[in-house]
C-alpha cells in the first residue's frame, strides 16, 4: 500500500507540469496575524493579488484546522503572496460575512469549501461579479460555476469504503450481514459522490441476497453528536446490525461509541474516511475496519498553486474536468487519488507525515503502534 500513497505524490508532480509556474516573491500584507500573512518580496516582479480561503468548520473533521490551514499557509508564505484564511465554523451566515469582508478587503482570488451549494453559489456569484477568480476547494458547489475545482476522486473514496467493509465482513466470515448506513451531510455534494461509490459496491450484494440492507440515515452537517443519536436509533430498530458504512472517521467514531455501550465494538466492522488520529487509533484497537487516506497536503498544494498563478494574472491549466450535475457545465478540475488504510498499513500514513507518531501512539496505543510496525 505504500506504493499507493506514493502515487499521489507522482500525480501531483504531473499536475505541477500542467500548471503555469507559480513560485515567486511578490509583496503583500495580511489583514490579521492569526489568519493572514505574506513573505517578504524577493524579486522586482509586480505584486500578486491577495488570496482568500474560507474553510467550513472545525467540528466535522479535525483536518480543516490541523492540516488544510497549515499546508495552505506554508504554500502561500513560500510563494510570498498575501493571503487571508478564515473558518466559518459551520455557520452559513458567518460564511457569507467572511466572504463579504474578503471581497471588500481586495482579494483577487477566492477559494471556498462550501457549507452547502446554495450558500456557496451566492458567494461565488458575488465574487465573480467583482472579477475575482474562484476555486471550489474539496467540495464542488453545484451551480456555482467556479473557475476551478480541486479535490480527491470522491466516487473512488466511496468505492474504497464499500470494498473495505466487504473485505472486513468476508474476513469475519459474516453470513447475510445486515448493513447500516451513516451517510454524510445531505447538503454536501461530496457525500452524494461517496454514496454513489459505496452503493456501487454494496447494492449488487443487497440485490443478490448476500447482504441485507439495514437502516440508513444522512447526518446533517456531518454532526458527530447527531450521528451518535441516529445510530443508537438504528441499533434499537435493528439490533443485529453486522456492519456500518460510516462516511467519515467522525461518524464512524460516533457509531463505535454506541457499539461500545452495547459490547459490540470490534464485532461490527465500521468504515471511515480522513485518516484522523482518532480513526487510526480505532483501527489499531480493532474497533474500526478501515479508513480512507486523502493526502491533504497534495490537495492544499494543488489549490495553492492554482490560486497563486491566478493571483499573478496567469491562466493555469487543470488536468481534467468534472461535470456540474445542476448546470451540465464541465468545471476545470484537479482530482487526486485516495488510498484505503487498514491495520497493516496505518504506518504508511505516519510515514507520509500526515499524522505523527506522538499524537497517534499515546497511552495504551503505544503498544498497538509497536505491533503495527509504527516507528
Amino acid at each position: 500500500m505504500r506504493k499507493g500513497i506514493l502515487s499521489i505524490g507522482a500525480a501531483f508532480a504531473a499536475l505541477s507540469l500542467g500548471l503555469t509556474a507559480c513560485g515567486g516573491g511578490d509583496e503583500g500584507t495580511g489583514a490579521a496575524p492569526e489568519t493572514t500573512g505574506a513573505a517578504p518580496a524577493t524579486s522586482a516582479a509586480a505584486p500578486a493579488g491577495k488570496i482568500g480561503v474560507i474553510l467550513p468548520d472545525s467540528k466535522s473533521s479535525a483536518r480543516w484546522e490541523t492540516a488544510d490551514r497549515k499546508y495552505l499557509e506554508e504554500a502561500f508564505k513560500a510563494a510570498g503572496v498575501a493571503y487571508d484564511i478564515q473558518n466559518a465554523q459551520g455557520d452559513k451566515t458567518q460564511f457569507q460575512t467572511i466572504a463579504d469582508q474578503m471581497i471588500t478587503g481586495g482579494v483577487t482570488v477566492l477559494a471556498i469549501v462550501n457549507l452547502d451549494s446554495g450558500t456557496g453559489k451566492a458567494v461565488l456569484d458575488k465574487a465573480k461579479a467583482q472579477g475575482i477568480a474562484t476555486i471550489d476547494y474539496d467540495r464542488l458547489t453545484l451551480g456555482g460555476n467556479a473557475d476551478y475545482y480541486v479535490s480527491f476522486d470522491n466516487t473512488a473514496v466511496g468505492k474504497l469504503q464499500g470494498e473495505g467493509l466487504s473485505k472486513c465482513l468476508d474476513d469475519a466470515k459474516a453470513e447475510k450481514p445486515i448493513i447500516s448506513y451513516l451517510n454524510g451531510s445531505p447538503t454536501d455534494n461530496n457525500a452524494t459522490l461517496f454514496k454513489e461509490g459505496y452503493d456501487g459496491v454494496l447494492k449488487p450484494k443487497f440485490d443478490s441476497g448476500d447482504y441485507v440492507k439495514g437502516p440508513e440515515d444522512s447526518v446533517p452537517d456531518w454532526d458527530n453528536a447527531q450521528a451518535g443519536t441516529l445510530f443508537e436509533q438504528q441499533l434499537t430498530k435493528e439490533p443485529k446490525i453486522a456492519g456500518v458504512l460510516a462516511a467519515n472517521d467522525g461518524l464512524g467514531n460516533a457509531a463505535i461509541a454506541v457499539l461500545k455501550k452495547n459490547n459490540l465494538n470490534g464485532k461490527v466492522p465500521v468504515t471511515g474516511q480522513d485518516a484522523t488520529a482518532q480513526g487510526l487509533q480505532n483501527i489499531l484497537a480493532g474497533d474500526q475496519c478501515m479508513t480512507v487516506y486523502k493526502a491533504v497536503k497534495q490537495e492544499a498544494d494543488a489549490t495553492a498553486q492554482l490560486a497563486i498563478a491566478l493571483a499573478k494574472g496567469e491562466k493555469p491549466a487543470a488536468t481534467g474536468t468534472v461535470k456540474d450535475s445542476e448546470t451540465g457545465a464541465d468545471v476545470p478540475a484537479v482530482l487526486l487519488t485516495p488510498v484505503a488504510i487498514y491495520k497493516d498499513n496505518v504506518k504508511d500514513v505516519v510515514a507520509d507525515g500526515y499524522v505523527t507518531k506522538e499524537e497517534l501512539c499515546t497511552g495504551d496505543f503505544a503498544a498497538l503502534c509497536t505491533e503495527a510496525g509504527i516507528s
Side-chain angles (χ1 to χ4, degrees):
M1 289 304 298
R2 182 66 184 154
K3 180 179 178 183
I5 291 181
L6 289 175
S7 70
I8 299 176
F12 182 64
L15 159 68
S16 299
L17 296 176
L19 295 176
T20 307
C22 305
D26 301 290
E27 294 181 327
T29 58
E34 67 274 16
T35 58
T36 64
T42 57
S43 75
K50 185 177 181 181
I51 299 167
V53 180
I54 308 178
L55 300 175
D57 60 60
S58 55
K59 186 177 180 181
S60 67
S61 177
R63 62 164 283 193
W64 302 115
E65 287 297 326
T66 63
D68 297 80
R69 177 187 289 273
K70 176 180 71 172
Y71 294 135
L72 288 166
E73 285 183 342
E74 288 174 355
F76 295 147
K77 286 178 180 177
V81 296
Y83 63 89
D84 184 355
I85 303 174
Q86 296 192 46
N87 193 313
Q89 297 298 351
D91 187 320
K92 296 173 186 177
T93 300
Q94 181 67 5
F95 188 94
Q96 292 182 316
T97 298
I98 291 171
D100 289 343
Q101 291 171 345
M102 288 183 173
I103 292 170
T104 303
V107 299
T108 58
V109 181
L110 180 63
I112 68 167
V113 187
N114 72 55
L115 292 173
D116 62 36
S117 285
T119 308
K121 182 181 185 308
V123 165
L124 292 176
D125 285 349
K126 189 174 293 187
K128 291 171 81 71
Q130 297 297 318
I132 296 169
T134 55
I135 300 172
D136 268 332
Y137 180 45
D138 197 72
R139 300 172 182 169
L140 182 66
T141 301
L142 298 179
N145 296 312
D147 295 313
Y148 295 92
Y149 171 52
V150 182
S151 190
F152 284 80
D153 184 333
N154 293 308
T155 304
V157 169
K159 184 171 184 284
L160 290 177
Q161 291 173 317
E163 291 172 346
L165 184 59
S166 181
K167 175 184 182 301
C168 293
L169 289 167
D170 288 346
D171 289 347
K173 295 180 170 52
E175 294 184 10
K176 296 187 181 298
I178 298 172
I179 310 301
S180 83
Y181 278 19
L182 283 174
N183 304 316
S185 174
T187 59
D188 182 352
N189 185 59
N190 282 4
T192 301
L193 297 175
F194 301 148
K195 180 171 163 55
E196 180 181 304
Y198 50 74
D199 274 347
V201 175
L202 298 178
K203 188 176 183 301
K205 295 183 179 292
F206 297 143
D207 292 343
S208 68
D210 291 336
Y211 292 178
V212 177
K213 181 69 180 291
E216 176 174 6
D217 287 289
S218 293
V219 181
D221 302 321
W222 294 91
D223 186 277
N224 297 331
Q226 290 192 62
T229 299
L230 290 168
F231 184 69
E232 196 144 28
Q233 293 169 352
Q234 288 186 359
L235 194 61
T236 299
K237 178 181 178 182
E238 179 48 79
K240 294 184 179 180
I241 288 173
V244 183
L245 195 300
N248 77 356
D249 289 346
L251 305 188
N253 188 65
I256 289 167
V258 175
L259 292 171
K260 284 181 177 177
K261 288 197 299 184
N262 291 273
N263 296 313
L264 292 171
N265 58 303
K267 302 173 185 176
V268 177
V270 179
T271 65
Q273 177 188 176
D274 290 334
T276 62
Q278 183 180 65
L280 296 175
Q281 287 175 338
N282 283 335
I283 291 173
L284 292 174
D287 292 336
Q288 185 168 323
C289 160
M290 58 83 69
T291 188
V292 178
Y293 174 47
K294 301 182 296 186
V296 173
K297 186 177 190 307
Q298 303 297 339
E299 185 180 22
D301 285 351
T303 300
Q305 199 169 7
L306 284 171
I308 292 162
L310 290 166
K312 293 182 176 181
E314 299 167 0
K315 293 184 178 180
T319 54
T321 62
V322 295
K323 188 169 291 293
D324 183 327
S325 61
E326 187 169 302
T327 65
D330 289 324
V331 182
V334 176
L335 298 180
L336 300 169
T337 305
V339 178
I341 299 296
Y342 301 86
K343 189 171 185 176
D344 63 358
N345 65 332
V346 166
K347 60 182 179 291
D348 290 347
V349 181
V350 179
D352 217 39
Y354 183 67
V355 172
T356 67
K357 179 182 177 181
E358 290 69 27
E359 62 185 318
L360 180 63
C361 305
T362 59
D364 293 341
F365 294 104
L368 294 173
C369 282
T370 299
E371 290 175 17
I374 298 168
S375 57

